């Protein structure tokens, strides 16, 4: 499942755009806006996010979770023209692999 032409929203985890597809391509990313990983993800699930927008995209874990052992609810930045694969390891831990 693929979603394209997405627009990043919000400036915090609570109002960021929730991605629900396995592959997600953002084309519009205003400064400071973001996306949040699928709150219904289960261990073993993964989501790819591509940032084709003009600014870095903030990607947040689901509420209460952490990405790459950062603080709970902290965002990682995905630079423009870059993709990142996010892997759900547990209900509260995600790992991210960033493209070059």
């Amino acid at each position: 499942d693929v979603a394209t032409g997405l627009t990043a929203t919000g400036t915090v985890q609570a109002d960021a755009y929730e991605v629900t597809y396995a592959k997600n391509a953002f084309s519009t990313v205003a400064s400071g806006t973001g996306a949040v990983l699928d709150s219904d993800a289960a261990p073993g699930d993964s989501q790819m996010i591509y940032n084709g927008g003009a600014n870095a995209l903030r990607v947040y874990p689901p509420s209460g979770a952490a990405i790459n052992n950062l603080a709970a609810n902290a965002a990682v930045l995905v630079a423009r023209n870059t993709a990142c694969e996010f892997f759900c390891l547990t209900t509260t831990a995600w790992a991210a692999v960033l493209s070059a």
Side-chain angles (χ1 to χ4, degrees), residues 12-93:
V12 296
Q13 182 187 38
D15 59 3
Y17 181 92
E18 184 172 4
V19 292
T20 57
Y21 289 89
K23 309 292 187 250
N24 302 275
F26 284 82
S27 57
T28 305
V29 180
S31 179
T33 59
V36 62
L37 298 171
D38 191 356
S39 60
D40 291 329
D45 289 347
S46 67
Q47 292 186 287
M48 189 278 300
I49 295 180
Y50 172 72
N51 178 8
N55 297 283
L57 174 67
R58 295 178 186 199
V59 179
Y60 298 91
S63 182
I67 300 171
N68 286 355
N69 219 20
L70 296 172
N73 304 316
V76 297
L77 292 178
V78 177
R80 53 189 286 264
N81 300 322
T82 303
C84 190
E85 186 84 17
F86 295 88
F87 299 93
C88 180
L89 303 175
T90 71
T91 56
T92 60

